[in-house]
Structure formats: structure tokens, C-alpha cells
């Protein structure tokens, strides 16, 4: 499975995503420059974390106008796999590929720590290797990670099973204390209706190697590769 | 030239006369501005140089010592670690967010100037006690500034140290260490070699911000300092991220002859330092420098400290290639002049020469000052203060809780949680441990780094305190499984014109030098920050040591958390009956007195070597240095981090307070699995290091039993006190 990691000016988790696909998963990966329009025949596009365009104006607001984004949107609408992590998730909501928006954490502070997530939906190409309701430990690192959407959208996503990850306690309880950033309904990650575009604030690439403190994120990449190779979600 | 002008710029009569002699004429305003900035204490080290020359700077691992933008140590396999620490104290005291942010930005540029990819940042911070609103404001702003810059540029902030003390109330300290990784073949230097080569300004445009930042840094803070806020630069981490990527891409091409960031004294310092190092001159036209304001005169352009700019000297004929790379990153790269062979800085505006000064005059000819050094009057009474008669606390458990709840000791999670400490996928030991540890991808090695300085010791006994600062940094690295390689220092003191302050400076440096020699950790560079005074009151002398070490095998990485029920706890080193300078007497008795703890460098080295030997031989499951709060706090920290208790017996014939909370040096706690204990003790005997078996890990409480007393606390209670102290104050 060929991966492409988009590099916007100010992306800073691009090399991390590249490293995980290349060194940990052993799959081909290439960088996609924001100013290009060539997707280099990749099978999955990763929009990495970071501060594209310095987060100026609004997170992700400028990046969506990068030349490559037209191609990314087209790719996604045709069913291509897109994984947006952190700033990548913010960009996906700005393009409209995913509903809702990410606003500032209520604490008004940047938060970097491990968070527990409950896998709400394991019947997606990105989560097939997780157990339903499995609790995983994945780090967050953001200042604007509070997910918001109107009630109708939230209800619709709930019904369609589009809510993939929720912040939880280590025991899997969905509580206010377990919600680090005030996200609506503890939402940490969502998927589009078609099931090919996933956006999440936590960083699975930061927990794909035991030496970094955990491997829960590796399963996400494994799930995707497994799906691609004809396995089941 | 009016007397007012050169005085206003901070020059002395002697210096002004010397400038006239060098030029054999009156300097004009532009030239005067260049001299004033380059001869400021901040840039010239005119007062500290004679002392700095006494530091040991050479060793088998040192690839680059002081004099360049950063020091470099050999870490094997053709790789090297590049690192440097710098202060940004005065700007942070006036405008904490931008002051701290540009402090981070500046030191990061020093690292990638050398061609290295910056991989980590550590900060050493000092504030007044958090009970004051101002200190909370400063802490909040400084932490947000460090986070704002570091998180955005994507370099993890992986550790640091922080102390709260009234002497920093109006003059906080913000020292930032940055570490980079490089293949030795890619090392770039800040030299403008090869007459005829073009000189290019790259990165951000030049504005009027930060004019006279370095002269501002070289004077005392006062009530008028608020008006200096425009001398504080404004940072743009996004711009710097682009600059970083473009510069590293450029260096890979091999087109670069020399490169230097524009920090203090901006275009003036970068150009004359590069020319001076190469023994060349530079001719440049300020009219060609891209500006973001109209109407800037040559004087302003030459000394502006606008951030995120670099001066690049590429090989002749490669200008277009350079421009292409910068354009890819959306940045400007403009040829402003060329390298000459006459040794002069010739500054033009269009065709008109607006300044002409020998490059070496700016960098090397500033008069050096040998200040008078006199022992301060407080030293004698403080050191001879009789601490033997202090009443013993009845309840050691309560005392331990009080110490754990003291901001200087308590968990710093509130701070490091605001820093992205994970980006880069190298951080394998989280902040809050003895040292931060970064793996080096593609190898089985890791780097360890720490910043340390207990300024109370330095205040009470600068010579011993200087030694301890170095020794503790090395000890922290060793506890993480690393061999210390070298250090970068940030020497924060008061006004060196005062003989008492200069004495502190000299004595601290003397202690540091001795420790560097004994522990084989040469100085690779650093920074001096004088004039940390407000209304005539100096800060505690604070020579911060930033040290880098190499972990040769990932299996040697060691952390402080107690791991397993039944592991045996061993103390390496000796307990002494000394309370001088301890956090205990400060917090419990309200005393800043006594002598600093004794430090025997031979013993220190033996303890460190033994710790590292045992780690390498696979005996050690946890290691932790005994520092502020003594043995009791160290044990509590190991329990809290491991979420497990410990049973300890202390039988030395020493009073309980000293045994538990005294801060005797050269002590390390290690744990060894039960099944390996006999072999481990044999090893220790062979190493001839003093040690004591203290007890074992287990249960849910920390229990320490002494002669006639007992301390017992649930780890949950320890943890609550330790974790909640700072959030409790800052979130209220």
C-alpha cells in the first residue's frame, strides 16, 4: 500500500508519519508537496499534524487553499483513503470533507499528554484490528482540539456510526473528566459517511513503537494495510 | 560627536577614545551604533572573558569548543550533537511571552546555523515565589511563550529545571538550551571566507523591532525598563520553521561557505563575526536589505534585531540556486554584498559609504575589564550560622509533605504538559525525570540532556556551588544511563561592576572549572548574562549548566520510578549531618543560611562511575539523584513515579532532619532485583564506592524508620501533594 504524506509550510509531524509508515510498517511512502498537484499514485493520503501556515487566521483555514488540496478533495470524493491527524483533522473540517470544526481548548492552553480513547466503531478500514469498545492510549498535543458540530450533525453521525474514537477513562468510561478539551460528546475522531476519510486529534503515529511508550497507534496503520490487502474490517 | 550620543548608546569614555584611535577619526552615527552593540557586554564578553578563558574546553569528544554559534560533541558513528544554552532574561521580565518565545527562536537558529537539525529544547527558569501575582503572570507568559514557539516549529521541549525564589521576583531568568543532531561531514561554520563570494540576507524582512536589544540586556532593570518594551523582539515560529527547512536543504547542497543567524546586534554582529573568523572583510549595501518598513536608515538596518533572519555566504555563482531553495519555502534570499580581502566592514547605502570599520575592531578590540573581586560581607555570617541547634521537627511525615508541596520540588507537569514534548518521535524518557532522553533513530544510541543549578548553594558558597552545578548535571545524566560528554553554561549574575558580584562570578567559575576537569566534561560554549538586578538588588548567582551525555545502548536507559515489588534499594555515597543551603531549612525554618553542602569531586566521580557501571552491567532497575529535599524527597519521587511504596531503614548516627532532608552531595539511589543483589554488592565492593542497603520496594506506602522515629505516608497522599501544588496556585 502506497502512502503519501502532504507537507504544508509549517507541518511538523510529516516526518513522524513518514517514519512510521516507512520504518515501522515497512510500506512505501512519499512526501506530497503542498504546491504540487500530483498525488504520485498513492493509495492513502496522510494530512499530518503541525501548524500549517502557522495556524494563522484559523487552524487549517489557509492550508485548504493549497494547490494540492483540490486533488486531495477529488481523491477523497472518489473513495481514496485519507487520514487527517491533529492539524490534518482541522484541515479536513475546513475543506468540508468532514463535518464540524475544532475550536480552542477551554483551558486556552496547549495540552500535550497521553489520552485514553474508546474505540466506538471498529467496522472501518482504519480500525478493523481494534476490538469494539477497546480502550487505547494515544497522545494528544494541541491547543485547538475541542470538537464542535450542531446537534443534528452530531445525531446523524451517532446514528451512522461515524464517531470512531471518544475520550474515555482508562476503564473506558465516557466522562467529563476524561475529556481533555471539551469536545462535544467526548469526540476524538470521526469518519465520513463513506468510511474512507478519518480525522482524529490524537496522534496514532506517536504510539506505534514500544520504545515511545506504547503501540496502540500501530494497529490503526495495520488495520488500513490489512483492509487494503483484502482483509476485513 | 556629541557626548550624549555615545553615552546614550552605552559606551564609556575609555571605549569612545579607543574607537577614535582605531578609526583615527571621529566615528559617525552608524559606526558608533555598530561599536556600541558589538562592544556591549552581551556581545563582547568584555568583563567575563578573562574568567571564561579559565574553563577547560578541550577533550577527545569535543569537535567544536567556544567561539562558534554552538558547541559540538562527537557521539560516534560519524554523528555529532550540537548544543548551546542562552539567556533571554530581560526581555522576558518585560514581555514574558515574546521574550521567552524569541529566546527559544534565537537558540534554535544557533543550532541549525551549524547545519544541525534541532531535536530538542530544554529550559532553565527562575521566578519569584508564586504567591505573588507578578510571578504568576511571568510564569504563565513565559511558559506560553516557550510553548507557542517550540510547539509551532515542531521541536520538542523535553525538560528543564525551575526554581522559585524572591531574588528573581523582578528579574526572572529564562535560559534555553537547544540540541541538534548532525552528520559530522555536514558541519557548517560561521565564516565569510573567500573574497568575491556573495553575502546574502535570507528569511524574514528587517523592521525596527529589537533595536538596541543587546545594550538593553547589558543594563540593570528599573522602573523605566517598561519603556524598553519596543527593544523586545517579536517572534514568528512559522517563519522560523520555513527558514529552518530552507537552511538545512541549502546546507545539503554543499554550496554554503558560511552561515550565521542574526541574533543580538543583527546584521552588524553576524557580518563582522563571520568576516572576523575568516580574516576577511565584507562590503554590503543596506539599501538591498529587504525591509518591512519604509524610511529605515542605515543605522536602524544595521542594528535591528528582527527575528528569523540569517546571513549566508554561498560559493560564488550559486546565488540563483540559493534563491531557488528559499523561494520554494516562500522566503526571500537577496545578495546584499560580497566578501572582500581588506578586513574592513564597508557599509554602503547605494553608492554612498555610510560606515567603514575593521571587522576585527568590532569583534576583538573591545577593551577587556578586569573587575575587582571582593568577598561579600554576607558570606562569613551565613556560612558560620550554627545549624546544629535548630529544633528537630516532631513530625517528619508532615515535613516531607510540606517539601513535596513546595513549588521548586513539586511536579512540574502543569508546565511541561503545555509543551509538545513528543513531536519528532525521539523522546523516550518523559519530562520530569533526572534527565531527558532522546533516541537517535537508525542507531541503538540515545542522547541524554539536563539543565541544573541550585543557586542557593552558589549564593552561600560560589566556589562549592559552581562545582555542585556541574556535578549535579553530570549525576543526572549518569542516572539516566548516559556518559556525560560536555556542557554549555549560562552564567546569570548581577552587575559585574560591583566587586562582590564579580567575586561570586569568579568563584563560581573556579568551582565549575574544577568540576569540569575532574568529571571530564569540557565547556563547549555558552552565554553570560550580567546586570540581573533590580533597584540595586542582584539575583542569586545562577550559573546554569546544560549538559549532554551519550547512552551507548538503549538497554542502558534508566528511569527513576521504582519498578517491582521486592527490588532492593541501595544508596551510593554517604549521608552527612549537613543542612546548609537545604530546601528544608528554607521552607521549614525560613533560613537561607549555612554553608553549601560539601563536595568531594573524587567521591563524586566514583559514585557516578559506579552508578554507570552497574547500569551497563544490567543490575539497575531504577536510579535517581538525591537533590533538593534530600533522601526523603528522592525516595518519595521514586515511589510517586512508580506508583509503588518502599520500606526503608536509616541507621546512620545522624539526626533525623539531616538524614531525611539534608542535601549532601554525591548520592544516588538505585534499585537492584533481589536475585541480582549479591552480585551487585560484590561489584560495589570491588568499585570501592561507599554504599548502604536501605530497604526494598513494595506496598502502597513509603515508610522510613530511623533511630527512635518513623515516617509513613501512602504513596497516594505523596502524589496528591506533589502533583497538585503548582496547578492549585496557577489555576486558581
Amino acid at each position: 500500500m502506497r502512502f503519501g504524506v502532504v507537507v504544508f509550510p509549517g507541518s511538523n509531524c510529516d516526518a513522524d508519519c513518514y517514519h512510521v509508515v516507512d520504518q515501522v510498517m515497512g510500506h512505501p511512502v512519499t512526501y506530497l508537496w503542498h504546491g504540487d498537484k500530483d498525488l504520485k499514485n498513492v493509495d492513502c493520503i496522510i494530512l499530518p499534524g503541525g501548524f500549517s501556515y502557522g495556524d494563522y487566521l484559523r487552524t487549517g483555514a489557509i492550508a485548504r487553499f493549497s494547490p494540492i488540496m483540490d486533488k486531495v478533495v477529488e481523491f477523497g470524493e472518489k473513495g481514496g483513503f485519507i487520514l487527517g491527524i491533529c492539524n490534518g483533522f482541522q484541515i479536513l473540517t475546513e475543506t468540508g470533507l468532514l463535518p464540524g470544526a475544532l475550536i480552542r481548548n477551554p483551558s486556552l492552553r496547549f495540552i500535550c499528554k497521553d489520552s485514553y480513547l474508546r474505540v466506538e466503531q471498529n467496522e472501518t478500514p482504519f480500525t478493523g484490528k481494534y476490538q469494539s469498545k477497546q480502550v487505547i492510549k494515544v497522545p494528544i498535543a494541541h491547543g485547538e482540539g475541542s470538537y464542535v458540530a450542531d446537534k443534528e450533525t452530531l445525531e446523524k453521525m451517532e446514528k451512522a456510526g461515524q464517531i470512531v474514537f471518544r475520550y474515555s477513562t482508562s476503564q473506558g468510561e465516557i466522562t467529563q473528566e476524561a475529556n481533555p478539551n471539551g469536545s462535544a460528546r467526548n469526540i476524538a475522531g470521526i469518519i465520513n459517511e463513506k468510511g474512507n476519510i478519518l480525522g482524529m486529534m490524537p496522534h496514532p503515529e506517536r504510539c506505534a513503537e514500544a520504545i515511545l511508550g506504547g503501540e496502540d497507534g500501530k494497529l490503526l496503520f495495520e488495520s488500513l494495510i490489512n483492509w487494503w490487502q483484502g482483509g476485513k474490517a | 560627536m556629541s557626548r550624549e550620543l555615545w553615552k546614550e548608546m552605552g559606551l564609556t569614555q575609555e571605549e569612545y577614545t579607543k574607537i577614535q584611535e582605531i578609526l583615527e577619526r571621529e566615528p559617525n552615527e552608524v559606526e558608533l551604533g555598530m561599536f556600541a552593540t558589538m562592544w556591549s557586554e552581551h556581545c563582547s564578553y568584555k568583563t567575563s572573558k578573562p574568567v571564561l578563558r579559565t574553563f577547560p574546553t578541550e577533550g577527545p569528544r569535543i569537535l567544536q569548543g567556544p567561539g562558534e554559534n554552538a558547541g559540538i560533541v562527537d557521539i560516534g558513528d560519524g554523528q555529532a550533537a550540537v548544543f548551546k544554552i542562552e539567556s533571554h532574561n530581560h526581555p522576558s521580565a518585560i514581555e514574558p511571552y515574546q521574550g521567552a518565545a524569541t529566546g527559544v527562536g534565537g537558540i534554535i537558529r544557533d543550532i541549525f546555523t551549524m547545519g544541525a537539525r534541532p531535536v530538542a529544547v530544554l529550559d532553565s527558569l527562575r521566578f519569584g515565589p508564586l504567591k505573588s501575582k507578578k510571578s504568576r503572570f511571568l510564569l504563565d507568559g513565559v511558559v506560553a511563550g516557550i510553548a507557542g514557539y517550540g510547539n509551532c516549529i515542531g521541536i520538542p521541549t523535553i525538560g528543564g529545571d525551575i526554581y522559585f525564589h524572591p531574588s528573581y521576583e523582578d528579574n526572572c531568568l529564562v535560559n534555553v538550551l537547544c540540541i541538534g543532531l548532525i552528520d559530522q561531514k555536514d558541519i557548517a561554520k560561521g565564516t565569510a571566507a573567500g573574497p568575491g563570494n556573495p553575502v546574502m540576507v535570507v528569511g524574514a524582512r528587517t523592521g525596527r523591532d529589537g533595536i538596541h536589544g543587546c545594550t538593553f540586556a547589558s543594563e540593570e532593570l528599573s522602573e523605566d525598563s517598561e519603556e524598553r518594551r519596543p527593544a523586545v523582539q517579536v517572534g514568528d515560529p512559522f517563519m522560523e520553521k520555513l527558514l529552518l527547512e530552507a537552511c538545512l536543504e541549502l546546507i545539503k547542497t554543499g554550496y554554503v561557505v558560511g552561515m550565521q543567524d542574526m541574533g543580538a546586534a543583527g546584521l552588524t554582529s553576524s557580518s563582522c563575526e563571520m568576516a572576523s573568523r575568516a580574516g576577511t572583510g565584507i562590503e554590503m549595501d543596506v539599501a538591498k536589505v529587504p525591509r518591512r518598513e519604509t524610511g529605515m536608515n542605515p543605522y536602524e538596518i544595521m542594528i535591528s534585531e528582527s527575528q528569523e533572519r540569517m546571513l549566508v555566504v554561498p560559493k560564488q555563482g550559486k546565488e540563483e540556486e540559493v534563491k531557488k531553495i528559499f523561494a520554494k519555502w516562500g522566503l526571500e534570499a537577496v545578495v546584499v554584498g560580497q566578501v572582500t580581502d581588506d578586513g574592513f566592514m564597508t557599509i554602503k547605502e547605494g553608492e554612498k559609504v555610510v560606515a567603514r570599520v575593521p571587522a576585527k575592531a568590532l569583534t576583538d578590540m573591545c577593551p577587556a575589564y578586569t573587575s575587582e573581586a571582593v568577598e561579600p560581607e554576607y558570606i562569613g555570617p551565613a556560612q558560620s550560622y550554627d545549624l546544629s541547634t535548630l529544633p528537630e521537627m516532631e513530625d517528619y511525615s508532615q515535613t516531607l509533605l510540606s517539601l513535596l508541596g513546595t513549588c521548586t520540588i513539586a511536579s512540574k507537569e502543569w508546565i511541561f504538559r503545555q509543551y509538545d514534548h513528543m513531536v519528532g518521535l525521539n523522546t523516550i524518557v518523559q519530562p520530569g525525570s533526572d534527565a531527558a532522553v532522546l533516541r537517535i533513530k537508525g542507531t541503538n544510541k540515545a542522547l541524554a540532556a539536563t539543565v541544573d543549578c541550585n543557586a542557593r548553594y552558589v549564593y552561600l558558597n560560589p566556589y562549592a556551588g559552581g562545582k555542585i552545578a556541574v556535578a549535579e548535571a553530570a549525576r543526572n545524566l549518569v542516572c539516566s544511563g548516559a556518559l556525560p560528554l560536555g556542557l554549555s553554561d549560562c552564567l546569570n549574575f548581577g552587575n559585574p561592576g560591583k566587586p562582590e558580584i564579580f567575586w561570586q562570578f569568579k568563584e563560581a567559575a573556579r568551582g565549575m572549572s574544577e568540576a569540569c576537569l575532574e568529571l571530564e566534561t569540557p565547556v563547549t560554549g555558552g552565554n553570560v548574562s550580567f546586570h540581573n538586578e533590580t533597584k540595586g538588588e542582584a539575583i542569586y548567582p545562577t550559573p546554569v549548566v546544560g549538559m549532554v551525555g551519550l547512552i551507548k545502548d538503549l538497554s542502558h536507559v534508566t528511569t527513576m520510578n521504582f519498578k517491582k515489588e521486592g527490588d532492593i534499594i541501595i544508596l551510593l555515597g554517604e549521608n552527612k549531618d549537613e543542612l546548609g543551603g537545604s530546601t528544608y531549612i528554607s521552607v521549614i525554618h525560613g533560613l537561607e543560611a549555612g554553608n553549601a553542602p560539601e563536595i568531594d569531586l573524587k567521591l563524586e566521580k566514583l559514585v557516578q562511575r559506579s552508578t554507570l557501571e552497574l547500569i551497563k552491567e544490567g543490575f539497575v532497575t531504577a536510579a535517581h539523584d538525591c537533590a533538593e529535599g534530600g533522601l526523603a524527597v528522592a525516595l518519595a519521587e521514586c515511589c510517586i513515579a512508580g506508583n509503588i511504596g518502599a520500606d526503608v531503614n536509616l541507621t546512620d548516627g545522624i539526626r533525623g532532619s539531616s538524614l531525611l532532608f539534608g542535601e549532601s552531595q554525591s548520592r544516588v539511589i538505585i534499585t537492584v532485583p533481589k536475585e541480582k543483589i549479591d552480585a551487585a554488592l560484590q561489584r560495589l565492593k570491588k568499585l570501592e564506592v561507599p554504599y548502604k542497603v536501605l530497604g526494598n520496594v513494595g506496598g502502597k506506602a513509603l515508610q522510613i524508620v530511623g533511630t527512635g522515629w518513623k515516617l509513613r505516608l501512602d504513596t497516594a497522599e505523596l502524589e496528591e501533594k506533589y502533583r497538585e501544588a503548582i496547578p492549585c496556585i496557577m489555576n486558581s
Side-chain angles (χ1 to χ4, degrees):
Chain A
M1 185 172 193
R2 285 173 54 82
F3 288 78
V5 179
V6 178
V7 182
F8 297 101
S11 293
N12 64 31
C13 301
D14 44 346
D16 296 355
C17 291
Y18 188 104
H19 167 82
V20 169
V21 174
D22 181 43
Q23 295 293 313
V24 181
M25 309 310 300
H27 277 255
V29 56
T30 182
Y31 286 119
L32 303 173
W33 184 245
H34 69 104
D36 292 344
K37 293 197 162 200
D38 178 8
L39 296 183
K40 298 185 185 170
N41 278 323
V42 299
D43 307 309
C44 174
I45 292 172
I46 300 178
L47 301 180
F51 288 68
S52 59
Y53 293 93
D55 272 1
Y56 294 139
L57 188 58
R58 190 173 64 237
T59 55
I62 305 178
R64 65 163 285 214
F65 294 107
S66 283
I68 202 161
M69 284 310 292
D70 291 340
K71 295 286 169 192
V72 172
V73 171
E74 206 179 293
F75 176 85
E77 281 167 351
K78 281 187 192 154
F81 291 118
I82 303 176
L83 169 60
I85 302 167
C86 198
N87 189 225
F89 184 16
Q90 293 163 342
I91 295 169
L92 285 174
T93 61
E94 286 288 337
T95 59
L97 286 173
L98 289 175
L102 284 311
I103 62 170
R104 280 201 82 175
N105 301 340
S107 66
L108 302 183
R109 293 183 204 283
F110 192 94
I111 306 170
C112 178
K113 63 167 195 168
D114 281 330
S115 66
Y116 289 101
L117 309 179
R118 193 172 77 186
V119 180
E120 302 291 274
Q121 172 56 280
N122 69 341
E123 293 180 359
T124 81
F126 299 89
T127 53
K129 290 243 166 190
Y130 293 109
Q131 303 298 313
S132 175
K133 305 294 174 196
Q134 184 179 341
V135 177
I136 58 177
K137 193 173 78 174
V138 186
I140 54 167
H142 57 246
E144 277 126 335
S146 187
Y147 183 76
V148 292
D150 60 66
K151 199 173 167 216
E152 266 169 60
T153 308
L154 291 170
E155 286 300 329
K156 209 176 126 203
M157 284 199 297
E158 295 271 12
K159 277 200 194 109
Q162 287 174 255
I163 294 163
V164 179
F165 300 110
R166 264 189 246 267
Y167 299 109
S168 75
T169 65
S170 60
Q171 301 306 307
E173 298 137 329
I174 307 299
T175 64
Q176 210 181 333
E177 290 71 42
N179 187 348
N181 54 23
S183 286
R185 304 187 186 194
N186 284 44
I187 289 172
I190 58 172
I191 198 161
N192 65 338
E193 270 175 89
K194 266 195 214 161
N196 61 313
I197 303 173
L198 177 78
M200 60 193 295
M201 286 313 292
H203 287 267
E205 83 280 11
R206 294 190 180 187
C207 54
E209 294 169 88
I211 191 173
L212 299 176
E215 293 184 290
D216 286 351
K218 190 177 168 187
L219 279 182
L220 188 142
F221 295 93
E222 271 178 14
S223 300
L224 195 54
I225 291 162
N226 182 55
W227 174 282
W228 180 256
Q229 290 167 342
K232 281 238 158 91
Chain B
M1 184 61 54
S2 72
R3 178 182 160 80
E4 284 65 37
L5 190 57
W6 55 260
K7 264 195 93 173
E8 208 175 276
M9 289 184 185
L11 290 163
T12 64
Q13 175 71 58
E14 183 194 352
E15 287 162 358
Y16 183 62
T17 310
K18 179 122 187 216
I19 293 167
Q20 288 170 313
E21 279 169 26
I22 292 168
L23 297 181
E24 295 173 342
R25 60 176 165 82
E26 287 285 315
N28 65 30
E29 191 186 343
V30 180
E31 290 163 342
L32 205 56
M34 291 167 73
F35 274 106
T37 48
M38 288 309 295
W39 286 12
S40 69
E41 182 65 48
H42 188 80
C43 292
S44 70
Y45 297 92
K46 57 191 169 192
T47 312
S48 55
K49 233 178 219 171
V51 173
L52 299 180
R53 288 207 182 99
T54 63
F55 282 138
T57 57
E58 284 170 5
R61 292 272 190 179
I62 307 299
L63 299 176
Q64 176 67 57
E68 262 290 346
N69 290 297
I72 309 182
V73 290
D74 189 346
I75 57 169
D77 306 318
Q79 294 176 308
V82 180
F83 65 106
K84 192 178 184 198
I85 189 166
E86 250 182 21
S87 63
H88 230 216
N89 303 335
H90 284 185
S92 304
I94 298 297
E95 211 305 288
Y97 185 97
Q98 290 299 345
T102 50
V104 173
I107 196 66
I108 288 173
R109 279 197 302 284
D110 276 333
I111 301 308
F112 70 77
T113 295
M114 307 291 290
R117 178 165 286 279
V119 291
V121 164
L122 289 88
D123 324 279
S124 185
L125 309 177
R126 302 290 183 274
F127 296 96
L130 290 181
K131 62 175 191 285
S132 102
K133 202 176 160 192
K134 177 163 186 187
S135 295
R136 293 197 298 275
F137 164 75
L138 289 174
L139 173 67
D140 203 48
V142 163
V143 170
I146 293 168
Y149 209 101
N151 297 352
C152 179
I153 196 169
I155 298 166
T157 303
I158 58 170
D161 75 338
I162 185 165
Y163 287 77
F164 301 93
H165 186 273
S167 77
Y168 307 108
E169 176 80 24
D170 293 309
N171 193 133
C172 61
L173 300 185
V174 175
N175 294 181
V176 189
L177 173 81
C178 184
I179 307 168
L181 269 182
I182 193 169
D183 286 334
Q184 290 174 22
K185 62 175 173 40
D186 292 333
I187 293 172
K189 299 272 173 88
T191 57
N197 281 331
V199 174
M200 300 179 82
V201 169
V202 305
R205 296 183 153 224
T206 300
R208 285 195 176 92
D209 51 336
I211 286 184
H212 279 305
C214 58
T215 35
F216 163 51
S218 307
E219 61 192 37
E220 283 165 38
L221 289 173
S222 68
E223 278 151 0
D224 302 332
S225 297
E226 292 284 310
E227 290 168 20
R228 286 291 206 168
R229 197 165 285 128
V232 179
Q233 310 86 350
V234 177
D236 179 353
F238 172 59
M239 177 63 84
E240 179 135 318
K241 168 72 174 166
L242 303 178
L243 187 63
L244 157 70
E245 297 300 338
C247 287
L248 292 183
E249 196 173 319
L250 176 65
I251 279 174
K252 287 279 174 202
T253 62
Y255 300 155
V256 177
V257 175
M259 187 154 90
Q260 178 150 337
D261 92 287
M262 292 191 213
L267 193 51
T268 299
S269 67
S270 52
S271 57
C272 72
E273 283 175 8
M274 286 181 79
S276 176
R277 282 192 200 106
T280 58
I282 284 179
E283 182 184 298
M284 59 185 174
D285 179 359
V286 291
K288 291 184 176 155
V289 175
R291 278 151 286 168
R292 59 175 145 77
E293 291 182 62
T294 52
M296 287 184 74
N297 61 33
Y299 171 82
E300 291 170 324
I301 296 168
M302 284 308 290
I303 66 165
S304 157
E305 294 184 9
S306 290
Q307 299 288 290
E308 292 92 23
R309 301 177 300 158
M310 307 276 272
L311 199 67
V312 177
V313 174
K315 289 177 184 159
Q316 206 172 350
K318 299 296 180 193
E319 296 88 335
E320 291 310 310
E321 314 286 335
V322 176
K323 284 183 190 171
K324 223 167 107 184
I325 289 171
F326 281 85
K328 177 187 155 191
W329 292 97
L331 298 173
E332 286 176 298
V334 175
V335 177
V336 297
Q338 58 178 359
V339 179
T340 62
D341 59 6
D342 63 5
F344 272 83
M345 296 298 303
T346 307
I347 312 302
K348 293 168 145 184
E349 188 181 32
E351 285 307 304
K352 188 180 153 209
V353 174
V354 294
R356 188 166 155 83
V357 181
K360 285 220 188 286
L362 294 166
T363 56
D364 296 355
M365 289 168 75
C366 175
Y369 296 92
T370 35
S371 297
E372 200 191 344
V374 175
E375 184 178 305
E377 278 176 14
Y378 74 82
I379 292 274
Q383 289 187 356
S384 57
Y385 194 97
D386 184 7
L387 297 170
S388 67
T389 57
L390 280 183
E392 283 291 292
M393 305 310 290
E394 280 177 13
D395 188 344
Y396 291 136
S397 301
Q398 276 312 312
T399 308
L400 175 57
L401 286 178
S402 300
L403 287 173
L404 287 173
T406 301
C407 290
T408 293
I409 290 176
S411 166
K412 310 302 183 304
E413 199 176 332
W414 183 89
I415 296 164
F416 63 72
R417 205 177 250 191
Q418 297 184 53
Y419 303 147
D420 188 341
H421 51 265
M422 304 171 176
V423 62
L425 304 188
N426 299 318
T427 313
I428 54 175
V429 174
Q430 305 269 319
S433 205
D434 287 72
V437 180
L438 291 169
R439 67 160 167 187
I440 303 170
K441 287 193 197 98
T443 74
N444 201 32
K445 299 180 296 195
L447 282 179
T450 181
V451 284
D452 286 289
C453 177
N454 182 320
R456 195 183 284 124
Y457 302 162
V458 187
Y459 172 76
L460 294 170
N461 184 336
Y463 171 61
K467 283 199 234 180
I468 292 172
V470 174
E472 195 191 343
R475 207 183 307 137
N476 279 331
L477 296 185
V478 162
C479 286
S480 302
L483 177 72
L485 299 181
L487 68 87
S488 183
D489 55 39
C490 199
L491 309 173
N492 307 274
F493 287 80
N495 176 357
K498 295 181 186 169
E500 293 80 13
I501 299 289
F502 201 71
W503 183 84
Q504 289 177 336
F505 178 69
K506 253 176 92 170
E507 284 293 288
R510 184 165 71 92
M512 291 171 75
S513 287
E514 276 183 31
C516 288
L517 276 179
E518 186 65 37
L519 302 175
E520 295 169 68
T521 53
V523 174
T524 66
N527 167 230
V528 180
S529 172
F530 281 137
H531 301 283
N532 290 291
E533 298 200 357
T534 318
K535 295 170 202 155
E537 288 292 316
I539 57 159
Y540 267 14
T542 314
V544 173
V545 172
M547 199 180 278
V548 172
L550 178 67
I551 300 177
K552 285 188 177 153
D553 189 305
L554 288 174
S555 68
H556 301 163
V557 174
T558 307
T559 50
M560 71 180 190
N561 51 313
F562 283 159
K563 309 277 184 315
K564 212 174 108 229
E565 190 101 26
D567 279 1
I568 311 289
I569 305 166
I570 303 171
L571 176 76
L572 306 192
E574 287 165 343
N575 298 320
K576 295 176 195 164
D577 189 356
E578 54 185 355
L579 287 172
S582 64
T583 311
Y584 163 75
I585 63 162
S586 170
V587 171
I588 305 297
H589 296 285
L591 280 174
E592 307 263 316
N595 203 340
E598 281 174 23
I599 171 123
D600 170 354
L601 291 170
K602 296 264 184 270
L603 174 64
E604 179 70 46
K605 194 173 183 181
L606 180 59
V607 167
Q608 290 190 18
R609 214 188 76 211
S610 305
T611 305
L612 198 53
E613 285 296 313
L614 260 69
I615 287 174
K616 285 181 175 170
E617 288 161 22
F619 288 111
V620 178
T621 47
H624 189 29
D625 155 49
C626 282
E628 286 78 18
L631 190 53
V633 164
L635 286 165
E637 287 170 340
C638 297
C639 289
I640 293 166
N643 193 23
I644 192 167
D647 269 313
V648 169
N649 275 292
L650 294 179
T651 49
D652 296 65
I654 298 175
R655 57 184 160 157
S657 56
S658 297
L659 203 45
L660 288 167
F661 311 117
E663 296 177 9
S664 290
Q665 292 300 300
S666 315
R667 293 184 300 168
V668 169
I669 294 169
I670 60 170
T671 58
V672 172
K674 217 190 280 175
E675 64 276 13
K676 291 185 181 171
I677 188 68
D678 292 340
L681 295 182
Q682 258 180 9
R683 260 321 262 136
L684 289 172
K685 280 189 190 109
K686 212 169 161 197
L687 286 159
E688 296 181 342
V689 63
Y691 72 87
K692 276 189 183 68
V693 175
L694 296 185
N696 52 278
V697 174
K700 292 211 170 295
L702 169 62
Q703 176 169 293
I704 308 176
V705 179
T707 315
W709 54 263
K710 184 169 121 178
L711 174 161
R712 188 185 164 87
L713 287 160
D714 283 348
T715 49
E717 198 177 345
L718 295 171
E719 179 165 355
E720 190 184 332
K721 197 81 186 166
Y722 181 71
R723 289 211 196 284
E724 289 183 5
I726 292 180
C728 220
I729 296 171
M730 294 306 292
N731 295 343
S732 64

